[in-house]
Amino acid sequence: MGRGREFLCAAAAALALAVAAPAAAADLVIAMPPWPSGQAAANILKLGIAKKFSLEVEVRELGTLTAFIGLEKGEVDIQPEVWRPNFDELIRKFVTEKGVVTLSERAVPAWQGICATPEAAATIKSVADLGDPAKTKILDTDGDGRGEMWIGAAEWLSTGIERARAAGYGYAANLTLVEAKEEVAMAAVDAAIATARPMVFYCYAPHHVFKLHQISRLEEPPHDPAKWKIAPPNDPLWVSKSSAATAWDAGQFQIGYATAFAKKHPEVAQFLQKVDFSPDEVTAMSYALEVERQAPADYARKWVESHAERIDGWAK
């Protein structure tokens, strides 16, 4: 009986140690951005790399600024979507100046701006119209006399830039700029379309909203670098110090990875350089996660299974 108790105590102690012991560290870490296509891409890369190179891969939810700091420190190895010009300041610091991050040569073309539902587009056709309270009153949903406009999620760098653009163009004076999760905003777009309610909101492409609805992009003057002055995002006052009274520059996004990681795993770096998602595929990722409510890992598993030859090509 005593020996039995000793055995049970020893077993309990061993179990406690096993539970308390940290899990084995992954061979590499992929940052998962807080937007649908980035979440899908992170998981596709995870499964593709694990399959072709037999590496243990961890996907970790991280904002882009945090991810770049992790890339420098060796705590993160891959960032699946580095948007430009949104992250140009980070690229200047970590890619150009420090050389601790490398960008893939392939890029997915993209754009950003302000969009309107059909009912809003009948009255508001350009960004200049947003400065006219007589026109933007149709966007008032809470009866306070000011229209509302979604400008992005709180954690997105683009959201701060949209605040700077609103101030630069002047429409911040008569519009309430709303920050909210993208899924909440897209649900509001769906409801606005369904009820024929005017709505204006920040938009970007590739994105599933253009597959679902007839959305118009507001007219803006061409991008002017002289009017695009964005302060470093690590400055707590960067939004107020920024000025952007102009349209966004032509956009794109690329995979970023730690330069030190590429030296350790050159075969994986070559794999990342060959990844060639198309705009239509990125739109499909967004649609699957936001509209069909597929989990990123589940979507990625099916994608990898149905694109086996494609992934083989990336690994050659």
Side-chain angles (χ1 to χ4, degrees):
M1 186 70 174
R3 292 186 64 184
R5 290 181 63 186
E6 290 173 1
F7 173 79
L8 290 174
C9 290
L15 179 60
L17 287 173
V19 172
D27 295 309
L28 64 94
V29 174
I30 300 176
M32 186 169 71
W35 56 86
S37 61
Q39 293 171 342
N43 281 274
I44 289 172
L45 293 178
K46 170 186 175 177
L47 296 178
I49 292 171
K51 177 182 179 182
K52 302 308 298 183
F53 304 105
S54 300
L55 295 174
E56 185 70 27
V57 185
E58 176 189 350
V59 167
R60 189 180 300 168
E61 285 192 66
L62 294 171
T64 303
L65 178 57
T66 304
F68 265 82
I69 294 172
L71 288 165
E72 180 180 25
K73 292 183 176 181
E75 298 170 355
V76 176
D77 301 294
I78 300 170
Q79 167 71 4
E81 286 190 11
V82 179
W83 278 71
R84 308 190 72 171
N86 309 45
F87 307 133
D88 276 356
E89 182 62 29
L90 296 178
I91 291 170
R92 180 191 63 76
K93 178 179 179 180
F94 292 95
V95 178
T96 306
E97 295 181 359
K98 293 188 174 184
V100 295
V101 178
T102 300
L103 296 180
S104 65
E105 295 180 2
R106 297 177 185 270
V108 179
W111 61 261
Q112 301 167 82
I114 305 297
C115 287
T117 62
E119 288 71 26
T123 301
I124 302 172
K125 303 181 183 300
S126 70
V127 170
D129 291 333
L130 294 176
D132 184 347
K135 294 181 177 180
T136 57
K137 67 181 181 180
I138 64 171
L139 306 176
D140 181 13
T141 62
D142 58 11
D144 68 351
R146 294 169 59 89
E148 295 87 43
M149 184 176 83
W150 179 69
I151 59 170
E155 63 269 24
W156 295 356
L157 282 177
S158 62
T159 304
I161 295 174
E162 282 301 323
R163 283 198 176 276
R165 279 169 25 93
Y169 276 124
Y171 56 81
N174 65 289
L175 280 173
T176 298
L177 306 177
V178 178
E179 297 182 13
K181 295 289 186 182
E182 183 175 21
E183 61 185 39
V184 174
M186 291 303 102
V189 172
D190 294 340
I193 295 288
T195 59
R197 177 174 61 80
M199 181 175 176
V200 172
F201 56 98
Y202 164 75
C203 56
Y204 64 92
H207 196 278
H208 73 271
V209 72
F210 301 100
K211 183 177 179 179
L212 281 177
H213 305 301
Q214 292 295 319
I215 300 295
S216 300
R217 183 178 179 181
L218 299 190
E219 298 174 1
E220 294 189 58
H223 176 73
D224 184 351
K227 296 181 179 179
W228 190 272
K229 305 297 181 183
I230 304 300
N234 60 348
D235 184 337
L237 301 177
W238 75 275
V239 174
S240 61
K241 292 180 179 178
S242 298
S243 175
T246 179
W248 287 84
D249 197 1
Q252 64 181 42
F253 56 87
Q254 298 149 270
I255 296 174
Y257 53 87
T259 305
F261 162 80
K263 293 178 181 178
K264 183 178 179 181
H265 292 286
E267 73 286 358
V268 178
Q270 292 176 10
F271 174 93
L272 296 173
Q273 287 286 355
K274 293 179 182 178
V275 174
D276 57 350
F277 295 129
S278 70
D280 285 344
E281 287 176 322
V282 175
T283 297
M285 294 176 191
S286 175
Y287 187 91
L289 270 61
E290 282 288 318
V291 180
E292 298 176 342
R293 312 306 297 171
Q294 295 188 42
D298 293 340
Y299 175 81
R301 190 175 301 108
K302 289 181 287 187
W303 197 97
V304 169
E305 289 174 354
S306 61
H307 293 79
E309 291 186 7
R310 178 98 164 274
I311 292 174
D312 289 344
W314 295 347
K316 289 181 180 178

